[in-house]
Amino acid sequence: KFHAAVRAAKVSAHNARFSDETKLLLYALDSQARNGACPVQSKWQMGAEDRAKYETWQNLGKMDAFEAMRLYVKLLDEEVPGWWRQPRREDEDARDE
């Protein structure tokens, strides 16, 4: 369900409705689920957007990947109720095969 949620969140109609805070949290949860804890980096040369992404991911600490996936799906459920009922586009079906 997590991977389907990631695809659904990237659909422009859904993504346009997300606040900046929600976009940051979705990014951080996705990164945590796929890569684990955020690696330590210097923030001095980061732009504002990259710094916000880094800090949001860093704040998740050592959260388990499964928990990050669960929270990602839960957040998408809250922001876009019924997202899983949205029809898939044909080009997405072709990529999944």
Side-chain angles (χ1 to χ4, degrees):
K1 194 169 183 182
F2 167 73
H3 297 290
V6 171
R7 283 193 304 272
K10 292 181 181 179
V11 173
S12 59
H14 294 167
N15 200 11
R17 294 192 286 186
F18 297 149
S19 68
D20 289 341
E21 181 179 299
T22 299
K23 289 177 186 177
L24 284 171
L25 191 50
L26 287 171
Y27 167 82
L29 290 168
D30 181 39
S31 297
Q32 188 84 7
R34 294 174 189 268
N35 306 312
C38 182
V40 176
Q41 298 175 0
S42 172
K43 298 186 280 186
W44 295 108
Q45 294 185 4
M46 292 182 184
E49 183 178 341
D50 288 336
R51 179 177 275 205
K53 286 180 176 182
Y54 173 80
E55 289 175 350
T56 304
W57 184 10
Q58 186 74 31
N59 287 336
L60 296 179
K62 295 182 179 185
M63 179 185 291
D64 181 65
F66 183 78
E67 180 68 4
M69 289 180 193
R70 188 186 71 76
L71 291 174
Y72 188 102
V73 172
K74 181 180 179 198
L75 179 58
L76 192 59
D77 283 341
E78 292 170 0
E79 295 291 323
V80 187
W83 63 266
W84 62 90
R85 290 188 220 118
Q86 302 297 324
R88 294 180 66 185
R89 295 185 322 216
E90 289 180 28
D91 59 333
E92 288 178 348
D93 290 333
R95 279 184 281 172
D96 289 343
E97 294 176 1

Coordinates of all heavy atoms in Angstrom, one line a residue:
K1 N 0.8 -1.2 0.0 CA 0.0 0.0 0.0 C 0.9 1.3 0.0 O 0.5 2.3 -0.6 CB -0.9 0.0 1.2 CG -2.0 1.0 1.2 CD -3.1 0.7 2.2 CE -4.2 1.7 2.1 NZ -5.2 1.5 3.2
F2 N 2.1 1.2 0.6 CA 3.0 2.3 0.7 C 3.4 2.8 -0.7 O 3.3 3.9 -1.1 CB 4.2 2.0 1.5 CG 5.3 3.0 1.4 CD1 5.3 4.2 2.0 CD2 6.5 2.6 0.6 CE1 6.3 5.1 1.8 CE2 7.5 3.5 0.5 CZ 7.4 4.8 1.1
H3 N 3.8 1.8 -1.6 CA 4.3 2.2 -2.9 C 3.1 2.8 -3.8 O 3.3 3.7 -4.5 CB 4.9 1.0 -3.6 CG 6.1 0.5 -2.9 ND1 7.3 1.2 -2.8 CD2 6.3 -0.6 -2.1 CE1 8.2 0.6 -2.1 NE2 7.6 -0.5 -1.6
A4 N 1.9 2.3 -3.6 CA 0.8 2.8 -4.3 C 0.5 4.2 -3.8 O 0.2 5.1 -4.5 CB -0.5 2.0 -4.0
A5 N 0.7 4.5 -2.5 CA 0.5 5.8 -1.9 C 1.5 6.8 -2.4 O 1.2 7.9 -2.7 CB 0.6 5.7 -0.4
V6 N 2.8 6.3 -2.6 CA 3.8 7.2 -3.1 C 3.4 7.6 -4.6 O 3.5 8.8 -4.9 CB 5.2 6.5 -3.1 CG1 6.2 7.3 -3.9 CG2 5.6 6.3 -1.6
R7 N 3.0 6.7 -5.4 CA 2.6 7.0 -6.7 C 1.4 8.0 -6.7 O 1.4 8.9 -7.5 CB 2.2 5.7 -7.5 CG 3.4 4.9 -8.0 CD 3.0 3.9 -9.0 NE 2.0 3.0 -8.6 CZ 2.3 1.8 -7.9 NH1 3.5 1.5 -7.6 NH2 1.3 1.0 -7.6
A8 N 0.4 7.7 -5.9 CA -0.8 8.6 -5.8 C -0.4 10.0 -5.3 O -1.0 11.0 -5.9 CB -1.8 8.0 -4.8
A9 N 0.5 10.1 -4.4 CA 0.9 11.5 -3.9 C 1.6 12.3 -5.0 O 1.6 13.5 -5.0 CB 1.8 11.3 -2.7
K10 N 2.2 11.6 -6.0 CA 2.9 12.3 -7.0 C 2.0 12.8 -8.2 O 2.4 13.6 -9.0 CB 4.1 11.5 -7.6 CG 5.2 11.3 -6.6 CD 6.3 10.5 -7.1 CE 7.3 10.3 -6.0 NZ 8.5 9.5 -6.4
V11 N 0.8 12.3 -8.1 CA -0.2 12.8 -9.2 C -0.4 14.3 -8.9 O -0.7 14.7 -7.8 CB -1.5 12.0 -9.0 CG1 -2.6 12.6 -10.0 CG2 -1.3 10.6 -9.3
S12 N -0.3 15.1 -10.0 CA -0.3 16.5 -9.9 C -1.6 17.1 -9.2 O -1.5 18.0 -8.5 CB -0.1 17.2 -11.2 OG -1.1 16.8 -12.1
A13 N -2.7 16.4 -9.5 CA -4.0 16.9 -8.9 C -3.9 16.8 -7.3 O -4.4 17.6 -6.6 CB -5.1 16.1 -9.4
H14 N -3.3 15.7 -6.8 CA -3.2 15.6 -5.4 C -2.1 16.5 -4.8 O -2.2 17.2 -3.8 CB -2.8 14.1 -5.0 CG -3.9 13.2 -5.3 ND1 -3.7 11.8 -5.3 CD2 -5.2 13.3 -5.7 CE1 -4.8 11.2 -5.6 NE2 -5.7 12.1 -5.9
N15 N -0.9 16.5 -5.5 CA 0.2 17.2 -5.0 C -0.1 18.7 -4.9 O 0.5 19.4 -4.0 CB 1.4 17.0 -6.0 CG 2.7 17.3 -5.4 OD1 2.8 17.5 -4.2 ND2 3.8 17.3 -6.2
A16 N -0.9 19.2 -5.8 CA -1.2 20.7 -5.8 C -2.0 21.1 -4.6 O -1.9 22.2 -4.1 CB -2.0 21.0 -7.1
R17 N -2.7 20.1 -4.0 CA -3.5 20.4 -2.8 C -2.7 20.4 -1.5 O -3.2 20.9 -0.5 CB -4.7 19.4 -2.7 CG -5.7 19.5 -3.8 CD -6.9 18.8 -3.4 NE -6.7 17.3 -3.6 CZ -7.6 16.4 -3.4 NH1 -8.8 16.8 -3.2 NH2 -7.3 15.1 -3.6
F18 N -1.5 19.8 -1.5 CA -0.7 19.7 -0.3 C -0.1 21.0 0.1 O 0.4 21.7 -0.7 CB 0.4 18.6 -0.5 CG -0.1 17.2 -0.8 CD1 0.7 16.4 -1.5 CD2 -1.3 16.8 -0.3 CE1 0.3 15.1 -1.8 CE2 -1.7 15.5 -0.5 CZ -0.9 14.6 -1.3
S19 N -0.1 21.2 1.4 CA 0.6 22.4 2.0 C 2.1 22.1 1.9 O 2.5 20.9 1.8 CB 0.2 22.6 3.4 OG 0.6 21.5 4.3
D20 N 2.9 23.1 2.1 CA 4.3 22.9 2.1 C 4.7 22.0 3.2 O 5.6 21.1 3.1 CB 5.1 24.2 2.2 CG 5.0 25.1 1.0 OD1 4.7 24.5 -0.1 OD2 5.2 26.3 1.1
E21 N 4.1 22.1 4.4 CA 4.4 21.3 5.5 C 4.1 19.8 5.2 O 4.9 18.9 5.5 CB 3.6 21.7 6.7 CG 3.8 20.9 8.0 CD 3.0 21.4 9.1 OE1 3.2 22.6 9.5 OE2 2.2 20.6 9.6
T22 N 3.0 19.5 4.5 CA 2.6 18.2 4.2 C 3.6 17.6 3.2 O 4.1 16.5 3.3 CB 1.2 18.1 3.6 OG1 0.3 18.5 4.6 CG2 0.8 16.7 3.2
K23 N 4.0 18.4 2.2 CA 5.0 18.0 1.2 C 6.3 17.6 1.9 O 6.9 16.6 1.5 CB 5.2 19.0 0.1 CG 4.0 19.2 -0.8 CD 4.3 20.4 -1.8 CE 3.1 20.7 -2.6 NZ 3.4 21.8 -3.5
L24 N 6.7 18.4 2.8 CA 8.0 18.1 3.5 C 7.9 16.8 4.3 O 8.8 16.0 4.3 CB 8.3 19.3 4.5 CG 8.9 20.5 3.8 CD1 9.0 21.6 4.9 CD2 10.3 20.2 3.2
L25 N 6.8 16.6 5.0 CA 6.6 15.4 5.8 C 6.5 14.2 4.9 O 7.1 13.1 5.2 CB 5.4 15.5 6.7 CG 5.2 14.5 7.8 CD1 6.5 14.3 8.6 CD2 4.1 14.8 8.7
L26 N 5.8 14.3 3.8 CA 5.7 13.1 2.9 C 7.1 12.8 2.3 O 7.5 11.6 2.2 CB 4.8 13.4 1.7 CG 3.3 13.4 2.0 CD1 2.5 14.0 0.8 CD2 2.8 12.0 2.4
Y27 N 7.9 13.9 2.0 CA 9.3 13.6 1.5 C 10.1 12.9 2.6 O 10.8 12.0 2.3 CB 9.9 15.0 1.2 CG 11.4 14.9 1.0 CD1 12.0 14.4 -0.2 CD2 12.3 15.2 2.0 CE1 13.3 14.3 -0.4 CE2 13.7 15.0 1.9 CZ 14.2 14.6 0.7 OH 15.5 14.4 0.5
A28 N 10.0 13.4 3.8 CA 10.8 12.9 4.9 C 10.4 11.4 5.2 O 11.3 10.5 5.4 CB 10.7 13.7 6.2
L29 N 9.1 11.1 5.3 CA 8.7 9.8 5.5 C 9.1 8.8 4.4 O 9.5 7.7 4.7 CB 7.2 9.8 5.7 CG 6.7 10.4 7.0 CD1 5.2 10.6 7.0 CD2 7.1 9.6 8.2
D30 N 9.0 9.3 3.2 CA 9.4 8.5 2.0 C 10.9 8.2 2.1 O 11.4 7.0 2.0 CB 9.1 9.2 0.7 CG 9.5 8.4 -0.5 OD1 9.3 7.1 -0.5 OD2 9.9 9.0 -1.5
S31 N 11.7 9.2 2.4 CA 13.1 9.0 2.5 C 13.5 8.1 3.7 O 14.4 7.2 3.5 CB 13.8 10.4 2.7 OG 13.6 11.2 1.6
Q32 N 12.8 8.2 4.8 CA 13.1 7.4 6.0 C 12.7 5.9 5.6 O 13.4 5.0 6.0 CB 12.2 7.8 7.1 CG 12.5 7.1 8.4 CD 13.7 7.7 9.2 OE1 14.3 8.8 8.8 NE2 14.2 7.1 10.2
A33 N 11.6 5.7 4.9 CA 11.2 4.4 4.6 C 12.1 3.7 3.6 O 12.4 2.5 3.7 CB 9.7 4.4 4.0
R34 N 12.6 4.4 2.7 CA 13.5 3.9 1.6 C 15.0 3.8 2.0 O 15.7 2.9 1.6 CB 13.4 4.7 0.3 CG 12.0 4.6 -0.3 CD 11.9 5.5 -1.5 NE 10.6 5.7 -2.0 CZ 10.1 4.9 -3.0 NH1 10.8 4.0 -3.5 NH2 8.9 5.1 -3.4
N35 N 15.4 4.8 2.8 CA 16.9 4.9 3.1 C 17.3 4.8 4.5 O 18.5 4.9 4.9 CB 17.4 6.3 2.6 CG 17.0 6.5 1.1 OD1 17.3 5.6 0.3 ND2 16.5 7.6 0.8
G36 N 16.3 4.8 5.4 CA 16.6 4.8 6.9 C 16.9 6.2 7.4 O 16.4 7.2 6.8
A37 N 17.6 6.2 8.5 CA 17.8 7.5 9.2 C 18.6 8.5 8.3 O 19.4 8.1 7.4 CB 18.6 7.3 10.5
C38 N 18.3 9.8 8.4 CA 18.9 10.8 7.6 C 20.4 10.9 7.9 O 20.8 10.9 9.1 CB 18.3 12.1 7.9 SG 18.9 13.5 7.0
P39 N 21.3 10.9 6.9 CA 22.7 11.0 7.1 C 23.0 12.4 7.6 O 22.4 13.4 7.2 CB 23.3 10.7 5.8 CG 22.3 11.0 4.8 CD 21.0 10.7 5.5
V40 N 24.0 12.5 8.5 CA 24.4 13.9 9.0 C 25.2 14.6 7.8 O 26.0 14.1 7.2 CB 25.4 13.7 10.2 CG1 25.8 15.1 10.7 CG2 24.6 13.0 11.3
Q41 N 24.7 15.8 7.6 CA 25.3 16.7 6.6 C 25.5 18.1 7.1 O 24.7 18.5 8.0 CB 24.4 16.7 5.3 CG 24.2 15.4 4.7 CD 23.2 15.5 3.5 OE1 22.7 16.6 3.2 NE2 22.9 14.4 2.9
S42 N 26.3 18.8 6.5 CA 26.5 20.3 6.8 C 25.3 21.0 6.2 O 25.0 20.8 5.0 CB 27.8 20.8 6.3 OG 27.8 22.2 6.5
K43 N 24.7 21.9 6.9 CA 23.5 22.6 6.4 C 24.0 24.0 5.8 O 23.1 24.7 5.3 CB 22.5 22.8 7.5 CG 21.9 21.6 8.0 CD 20.8 21.8 9.0 CE 21.4 22.2 10.3 NZ 20.3 22.3 11.4
W44 N 25.2 24.3 6.0 CA 25.6 25.7 5.7 C 25.4 26.1 4.2 O 25.1 27.2 3.9 CB 27.1 25.9 6.1 CG 27.2 25.8 7.6 CD1 27.8 24.9 8.3 CD2 26.7 26.8 8.5 NE1 27.6 25.1 9.6 CE2 27.0 26.3 9.8 CE3 26.0 28.0 8.4 CZ2 26.6 27.0 11.0 CZ3 25.6 28.7 9.6 CH2 26.0 28.1 10.8
Q45 N 25.7 25.1 3.3 CA 25.6 25.5 1.9 C 24.2 25.1 1.3 O 24.1 25.2 0.1 CB 26.7 24.9 1.1 CG 28.1 25.5 1.6 CD 29.2 25.0 0.7 OE1 29.0 24.2 -0.2 NE2 30.4 25.4 1.1
M46 N 23.3 24.7 2.1 CA 22.0 24.2 1.5 C 21.1 25.5 1.3 O 21.1 26.4 2.1 CB 21.3 23.3 2.5 CG 21.9 22.0 2.7 SD 20.9 21.0 3.9 CE 21.9 19.5 4.0
G47 N 20.3 25.4 0.3 CA 19.3 26.4 0.0 C 18.1 26.2 1.0 O 18.1 25.2 1.8
A48 N 17.2 27.1 1.1 CA 16.1 27.0 2.0 C 15.3 25.7 1.9 O 14.9 25.1 2.9 CB 15.2 28.2 1.9
E49 N 15.0 25.3 0.6 CA 14.2 24.1 0.4 C 14.9 22.9 0.8 O 14.3 22.0 1.5 CB 13.7 24.0 -1.0 CG 12.8 22.9 -1.3 CD 12.4 22.8 -2.8 OE1 12.4 23.8 -3.5 OE2 12.0 21.7 -3.2
D50 N 16.2 22.8 0.4 CA 17.0 21.6 0.8 C 17.2 21.5 2.3 O 17.1 20.4 2.9 CB 18.3 21.6 0.1 CG 18.2 21.3 -1.4 OD1 17.2 20.7 -1.8 OD2 19.1 21.8 -2.1
R51 N 17.3 22.7 3.0 CA 17.5 22.7 4.4 C 16.2 22.2 5.1 O 16.3 21.4 6.1 CB 17.9 24.1 4.9 CG 18.0 24.1 6.4 CD 18.5 25.5 6.9 NE 19.9 25.5 6.8 CZ 20.7 26.3 7.5 NH1 20.1 27.1 8.3 NH2 22.0 26.3 7.3
A52 N 15.1 22.7 4.6 CA 13.8 22.3 5.2 C 13.6 20.8 5.0 O 13.1 20.1 6.0 CB 12.6 23.1 4.6
K53 N 13.9 20.2 3.9 CA 13.8 18.8 3.6 C 14.7 18.0 4.6 O 14.3 17.0 5.2 CB 14.1 18.4 2.2 CG 13.1 18.8 1.2 CD 13.6 18.4 -0.2 CE 12.5 18.7 -1.3 NZ 13.0 18.2 -2.6
Y54 N 16.0 18.5 4.7 CA 16.9 17.8 5.5 C 16.5 17.8 7.0 O 16.5 16.8 7.7 CB 18.3 18.5 5.4 CG 19.3 18.0 6.4 CD1 20.0 16.8 6.1 CD2 19.6 18.7 7.5 CE1 21.0 16.3 7.0 CE2 20.6 18.2 8.4 CZ 21.2 17.0 8.1 OH 22.2 16.6 9.0
E55 N 16.1 19.0 7.5 CA 15.7 19.1 8.9 C 14.4 18.2 9.2 O 14.3 17.6 10.3 CB 15.5 20.5 9.3 CG 16.8 21.3 9.3 CD 16.6 22.8 9.6 OE1 15.5 23.3 9.6 OE2 17.6 23.5 9.8
T56 N 13.5 18.2 8.3 CA 12.3 17.4 8.5 C 12.6 15.9 8.6 O 12.2 15.2 9.5 CB 11.2 17.7 7.4 OG1 11.0 19.1 7.3 CG2 9.9 16.9 7.7
W57 N 13.5 15.5 7.7 CA 13.9 14.1 7.7 C 14.7 13.8 8.9 O 14.5 12.8 9.6 CB 14.7 13.8 6.4 CG 15.1 12.4 6.2 CD1 14.8 11.3 6.9 CD2 16.0 11.9 5.2 NE1 15.4 10.1 6.5 CE2 16.2 10.5 5.4 CE3 16.7 12.5 4.2 CZ2 17.0 9.7 4.6 CZ3 17.5 11.7 3.4 CH2 17.6 10.3 3.6
Q58 N 15.6 14.7 9.3 CA 16.5 14.5 10.5 C 15.6 14.4 11.7 O 16.0 13.6 12.6 CB 17.4 15.7 10.6 CG 18.5 15.6 11.7 CD 19.6 14.6 11.3 OE1 19.9 14.5 10.2 NE2 20.1 14.0 12.3
N59 N 14.5 15.1 11.8 CA 13.7 15.1 13.0 C 13.0 13.7 13.2 O 12.5 13.5 14.3 CB 12.6 16.2 12.9 CG 13.2 17.5 13.2 OD1 14.3 17.7 13.8 ND2 12.6 18.6 12.7
L60 N 12.9 12.9 12.1 CA 12.4 11.6 12.3 C 13.3 10.6 13.1 O 12.8 9.6 13.5 CB 12.0 11.0 10.9 CG 11.0 11.7 10.1 CD1 10.8 11.0 8.8 CD2 9.7 11.8 10.8
G61 N 14.5 11.0 13.3 CA 15.5 10.2 14.0 C 15.7 8.8 13.5 O 15.9 8.7 12.3
K62 N 15.6 7.8 14.3 CA 15.8 6.4 13.9 C 14.5 5.7 13.7 O 14.4 4.5 14.0 CB 16.7 5.7 14.9 CG 18.1 6.4 14.9 CD 19.0 5.6 15.8 CE 20.4 6.3 15.8 NZ 21.4 5.6 16.6
M63 N 13.5 6.4 13.3 CA 12.2 5.7 13.1 C 12.3 4.5 12.2 O 13.0 4.5 11.2 CB 11.2 6.7 12.4 CG 9.8 6.1 12.2 SD 8.8 7.3 11.3 CE 8.5 8.5 12.5
D64 N 11.7 3.4 12.5 CA 11.7 2.2 11.8 C 11.0 2.4 10.4 O 10.1 3.2 10.2 CB 10.8 1.2 12.5 CG 10.8 -0.2 11.8 OD1 11.8 -0.8 11.7 OD2 9.7 -0.6 11.4
A65 N 11.6 1.8 9.3 CA 11.1 1.9 8.0 C 9.6 1.6 7.9 O 8.8 2.3 7.2 CB 11.9 1.1 7.0
F66 N 9.2 0.5 8.5 CA 7.7 0.1 8.5 C 6.9 1.2 9.1 O 5.8 1.5 8.5 CB 7.5 -1.2 9.2 CG 6.1 -1.7 9.1 CD1 5.6 -2.3 8.0 CD2 5.2 -1.5 10.2 CE1 4.3 -2.7 7.9 CE2 3.9 -1.9 10.1 CZ 3.5 -2.5 8.9
E67 N 7.3 1.8 10.2 CA 6.5 2.9 10.8 C 6.5 4.1 9.9 O 5.4 4.8 9.8 CB 7.2 3.3 12.2 CG 6.4 4.4 12.9 CD 5.0 4.0 13.4 OE1 4.6 2.9 13.3 OE2 4.4 4.9 13.9
A68 N 7.5 4.4 9.2 CA 7.5 5.6 8.2 C 6.5 5.3 7.1 O 5.8 6.2 6.7 CB 8.9 5.8 7.7
M69 N 6.5 4.1 6.6 CA 5.6 3.7 5.6 C 4.1 3.8 6.1 O 3.3 4.4 5.4 CB 5.8 2.3 5.1 CG 7.0 2.0 4.3 SD 7.2 0.3 3.9 CE 8.8 0.2 3.3
R70 N 3.9 3.4 7.3 CA 2.5 3.4 7.9 C 2.1 4.9 8.0 O 1.0 5.2 7.7 CB 2.5 2.7 9.2 CG 1.2 2.6 9.8 CD 1.2 2.0 11.3 NE 1.7 3.0 12.2 CZ 1.0 4.1 12.7 NH1 -0.2 4.3 12.3 NH2 1.6 4.9 13.5
L71 N 3.0 5.7 8.5 CA 2.6 7.1 8.7 C 2.4 7.9 7.4 O 1.6 8.8 7.3 CB 3.7 7.8 9.6 CG 3.7 7.4 11.0 CD1 4.9 8.0 11.7 CD2 2.4 7.8 11.7
Y72 N 3.2 7.5 6.4 CA 3.0 8.1 5.0 C 1.6 7.8 4.5 O 0.9 8.7 4.0 CB 4.1 7.5 4.1 CG 4.1 8.1 2.7 CD1 5.2 9.0 2.4 CD2 3.2 7.9 1.7 CE1 5.2 9.7 1.2 CE2 3.3 8.5 0.5 CZ 4.3 9.4 0.2 OH 4.3 10.0 -1.0
V73 N 1.2 6.5 4.6 CA -0.1 6.1 4.1 C -1.2 6.8 4.9 O -2.2 7.3 4.4 CB -0.3 4.6 4.1 CG1 -1.7 4.2 3.9 CG2 0.7 3.9 3.2
K74 N -1.0 6.9 6.3 CA -2.0 7.6 7.1 C -2.1 9.0 6.8 O -3.2 9.6 6.7 CB -1.5 7.4 8.6 CG -2.5 8.0 9.6 CD -2.0 7.9 11.0 CE -3.0 8.6 11.9 NZ -2.5 8.8 13.2
L75 N -1.0 9.7 6.5 CA -1.0 11.1 6.2 C -1.7 11.3 4.8 O -2.6 12.2 4.7 CB 0.4 11.7 6.1 CG 0.5 13.2 5.7 CD1 -0.2 14.1 6.7 CD2 2.0 13.6 5.7
L76 N -1.4 10.5 3.9 CA -2.1 10.6 2.6 C -3.6 10.3 2.7 O -4.4 11.0 2.1 CB -1.5 9.6 1.6 CG -1.9 9.9 0.1 CD1 -1.6 11.3 -0.3 CD2 -1.3 8.8 -0.8
D77 N -4.0 9.4 3.6 CA -5.4 9.1 3.9 C -6.1 10.3 4.4 O -7.2 10.6 4.1 CB -5.6 8.0 4.9 CG -5.4 6.6 4.3 OD1 -5.5 6.5 3.0 OD2 -5.1 5.6 5.0
E78 N -5.4 11.1 5.3 CA -6.0 12.3 5.9 C -6.1 13.4 4.9 O -7.0 14.2 4.9 CB -5.1 12.7 7.1 CG -5.2 11.8 8.3 CD -4.1 12.1 9.3 OE1 -3.4 13.1 9.2 OE2 -4.1 11.4 10.3
E79 N -5.1 13.6 4.0 CA -5.0 14.7 3.1 C -5.9 14.4 1.9 O -6.5 15.4 1.3 CB -3.6 14.9 2.6 CG -2.7 15.4 3.8 CD -3.0 16.8 4.2 OE1 -3.4 17.7 3.4 OE2 -2.9 17.1 5.4
V80 N -6.0 13.2 1.4 CA -6.7 12.8 0.2 C -7.6 11.6 0.5 O -7.2 10.5 0.1 CB -5.8 12.6 -1.0 CG1 -6.6 12.4 -2.3 CG2 -4.8 13.7 -1.2
P81 N -8.7 11.8 1.2 CA -9.5 10.6 1.5 C -9.9 9.9 0.2 O -10.3 10.5 -0.8 CB -10.7 11.2 2.2 CG -10.2 12.5 2.7 CD -9.2 13.0 1.7
G82 N -9.8 8.6 0.2 CA -10.2 7.8 -1.0 C -9.2 7.8 -2.1 O -9.5 7.5 -3.3
W83 N -7.9 8.2 -1.8 CA -6.9 8.3 -2.9 C -6.7 6.9 -3.6 O -6.4 6.9 -4.8 CB -5.5 8.7 -2.3 CG -5.0 7.8 -1.2 CD1 -5.1 7.9 0.1 CD2 -4.2 6.6 -1.5 NE1 -4.5 6.8 0.7 CE2 -3.9 6.0 -0.2 CE3 -3.7 6.0 -2.6 CZ2 -3.2 4.9 -0.1 CZ3 -2.9 4.8 -2.5 CH2 -2.7 4.3 -1.2
W84 N -6.9 5.8 -2.9 CA -6.7 4.5 -3.5 C -7.8 4.1 -4.5 O -7.7 3.2 -5.2 CB -6.7 3.4 -2.4 CG -8.0 3.3 -1.6 CD1 -9.0 2.6 -1.8 CD2 -8.3 4.1 -0.4 NE1 -10.0 2.8 -0.9 CE2 -9.6 3.7 0.0 CE3 -7.6 5.1 0.3 CZ2 -10.3 4.3 1.0 CZ3 -8.3 5.6 1.4 CH2 -9.6 5.2 1.8
R85 N -8.9 4.9 -4.5 CA -10.0 4.6 -5.5 C -9.8 5.4 -6.8 O -10.5 5.2 -7.7 CB -11.3 5.0 -4.9 CG -11.8 4.1 -3.8 CD -13.2 4.5 -3.3 NE -13.3 4.4 -1.9 CZ -13.6 5.4 -1.1 NH1 -13.8 6.5 -1.5 NH2 -13.6 5.1 0.2
Q86 N -8.8 6.2 -6.8 CA -8.5 7.0 -8.0 C -8.1 6.1 -9.2 O -7.3 5.2 -9.0 CB -7.4 8.0 -7.8 CG -7.7 9.0 -6.6 CD -8.9 9.9 -6.9 OE1 -9.2 10.3 -8.0 NE2 -9.6 10.1 -5.8
P87 N -8.7 6.3 -10.3 CA -8.3 5.4 -11.5 C -6.9 5.7 -11.9 O -6.4 6.8 -11.8 CB -9.3 5.9 -12.6 CG -9.7 7.2 -12.2 CD -9.7 7.3 -10.7
R88 N -6.2 4.6 -12.2 CA -4.8 4.7 -12.6 C -4.7 5.0 -14.1 O -5.6 4.6 -14.9 CB -4.1 3.4 -12.4 CG -4.0 3.0 -10.9 CD -3.3 1.8 -10.7 NE -1.9 1.9 -11.1 CZ -1.0 0.9 -11.2 NH1 -1.4 -0.3 -10.8 NH2 0.2 1.1 -11.6
R89 N -3.7 5.8 -14.5 CA -3.6 6.1 -15.9 C -2.9 5.0 -16.6 O -2.2 4.2 -16.0 CB -2.7 7.4 -16.0 CG -3.3 8.6 -15.4 CD -2.5 9.8 -15.7 NE -1.1 9.6 -15.6 CZ -0.2 10.4 -15.1 NH1 -0.6 11.6 -14.6 NH2 1.1 10.1 -15.0
E90 N -3.2 4.8 -17.9 CA -2.6 3.7 -18.6 C -1.1 3.7 -18.6 O -0.5 2.6 -18.6 CB -3.2 3.7 -20.1 CG -4.6 3.4 -20.1 CD -5.2 3.4 -21.5 OE1 -4.4 3.2 -22.5 OE2 -6.4 3.7 -21.7
D91 N -0.5 4.9 -18.7 CA 1.0 4.9 -18.8 C 1.6 4.4 -17.4 O 2.7 3.9 -17.4 CB 1.5 6.3 -19.1 CG 1.1 7.4 -18.1 OD1 0.0 7.2 -17.5 OD2 1.8 8.4 -18.0
E92 N 0.9 4.6 -16.3 CA 1.4 4.0 -15.0 C 1.3 2.5 -15.1 O 2.1 1.8 -14.6 CB 0.6 4.6 -13.9 CG 0.8 6.0 -13.6 CD 0.0 6.5 -12.5 OE1 -1.0 5.9 -12.1 OE2 0.3 7.6 -12.0
D93 N 0.2 2.0 -15.7 CA 0.0 0.5 -15.8 C 1.2 -0.1 -16.6 O 1.7 -1.1 -16.2 CB -1.3 0.1 -16.4 CG -2.5 0.4 -15.5 OD1 -2.3 0.4 -14.3 OD2 -3.6 0.7 -16.0
A94 N 1.6 0.6 -17.7 CA 2.6 0.1 -18.5 C 4.0 0.0 -17.8 O 4.8 -0.9 -18.0 CB 2.7 0.9 -19.8
R95 N 4.2 1.0 -17.0 CA 5.5 1.1 -16.2 C 5.6 0.0 -15.2 O 6.6 -0.4 -14.8 CB 5.7 2.5 -15.6 CG 6.2 3.5 -16.5 CD 6.4 4.8 -15.8 NE 5.1 5.4 -15.6 CZ 4.9 6.4 -14.9 NH1 5.8 7.0 -14.2 NH2 3.7 6.9 -14.8
D96 N 4.4 -0.4 -14.6 CA 4.4 -1.3 -13.5 C 4.6 -2.8 -14.0 O 4.9 -3.6 -13.2 CB 3.1 -1.3 -12.8 CG 3.0 0.0 -11.9 OD1 4.0 0.6 -11.7 OD2 1.8 0.4 -11.6
E97 N 4.5 -3.0 -15.3 CA 4.6 -4.4 -15.8 C 6.1 -4.8 -16.0 O 7.0 -4.1 -16.0 CB 3.9 -4.5 -17.2 CG 2.4 -4.4 -17.0 CD 1.6 -4.4 -18.3 OE1 2.3 -4.5 -19.4 OE2 0.4 -4.3 -18.3

